[in-house]
């Protein structure tokens, strides 16, 4: 199976990401209702207001991350992965992941759960990974441009 171009894996992933983005927006809009249902069924002692604030604040960077991934996979579908726009998207993903990590670290003062600790660890890894990948991609673009000038 092809990785880039039309009818490729990147095209399929882009479609999945668009679906996730739409579902994310629906969840963001209906968050108070969904949180009430969660509290009633799973965790009746959960303090609703801090949980709602944390989820709303982390929802925006999470949606930005998905949107930036959609842009990256769109460029892969168009068979143009080595462009500066992808570097900027990876840096934005990195920053948003750091913001989410910080929000959940602050949220630990209000709500402590193993799920929150796992989320913090995952987003710290994404932060570092996306930042390193953005720098690697930037370097690859420089080498590609030098190579294009040589030929």
């Amino acid at each position: 199976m092809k990785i880039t171009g039309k009818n490729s894996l990147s095209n399929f992933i882009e479609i999945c990401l668009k679906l996730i983005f739409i579902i994310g927006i629906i969840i963001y809009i209906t968050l108070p209702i969904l949180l009430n249902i969660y509290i009633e069924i799973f965790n009746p002692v959960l303090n609703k207001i801090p949980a709602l604030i944390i989820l709303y604040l982390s929802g925006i960077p999470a949606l930005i991350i998905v949107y930036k991934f959609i842009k990256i996979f769109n460029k892969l579908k168009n068979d143009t992965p080595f462009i500066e726009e992808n570097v900027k998207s990876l840096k934005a993903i990195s920053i948003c992941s750091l913001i989410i990590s910080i929000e959940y670290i602050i949220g630990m003062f209000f709500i402590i759960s193993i799920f929150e600790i796992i989320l913090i660890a995952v987003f710290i890894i994404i932060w570092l990974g996306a930042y390193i990948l953005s720098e690697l991609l930037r370097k690859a673009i420089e080498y590609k441009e030098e190579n294009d000038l040589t030929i």
Side-chain angles (χ1 to χ4, degrees):
M1 176 173 238
K2 291 179 11 180
I3 302 297
T4 62
K6 304 280 186 209
N7 299 324
S8 65
L9 182 61
S10 61
N11 190 32
F12 173 73
I13 293 172
E14 181 190 7
I15 292 168
C16 291
L17 286 169
K18 286 178 180 178
L19 183 63
I20 290 169
F21 188 73
I22 291 168
I23 292 169
I25 291 172
I26 292 168
I27 289 171
Y28 193 80
I29 292 169
T30 60
L31 198 55
I33 297 165
L34 295 174
L35 187 60
N36 281 336
I37 293 169
Y38 172 80
I39 289 171
E40 286 176 19
I41 296 173
F42 297 108
N43 195 351
V45 296
L46 181 66
N47 193 346
K48 181 182 175 182
I49 300 301
L52 199 58
I53 291 170
I54 292 167
L55 290 172
Y56 267 125
L57 289 177
S58 64
I60 292 172
L63 287 172
I64 292 171
I65 288 171
V66 175
Y67 176 73
K68 293 296 184 178
F69 270 123
I70 289 170
K71 287 178 69 173
I72 290 171
F73 279 97
N74 185 33
K75 298 302 178 194
L76 286 173
K77 179 181 74 176
N78 296 332
D79 218 7
T80 55
F82 296 108
I83 57 172
E84 191 65 33
E85 187 177 338
N86 285 346
V87 173
K88 291 177 183 175
S89 290
L90 282 170
K91 285 192 179 185
I93 289 168
S94 173
I95 291 167
C96 287
S97 297
L98 177 62
I99 290 169
I100 292 172
S101 298
I102 292 169
E103 289 172 349
Y104 278 96
I105 289 169
I106 293 168
M108 282 181 54
F109 292 108
F110 304 102
I111 305 164
I112 298 174
S113 72
I114 189 68
F115 180 67
E116 197 166 323
I117 294 168
I118 292 169
L119 275 177
I120 292 167
V122 166
F123 279 104
I124 286 174
I125 291 168
I126 293 171
W127 163 53
L128 293 171
Y131 181 77
I132 291 168
L133 284 175
S134 71
E135 291 301 312
L136 286 173
L137 183 59
R138 186 183 56 74
K139 203 65 159 161
I141 291 169
E142 286 177 18
Y143 290 145
K144 180 185 177 294
E145 289 172 355
E146 282 180 23
N147 190 28
D148 291 344
L149 291 174
T150 309
I151 298 173

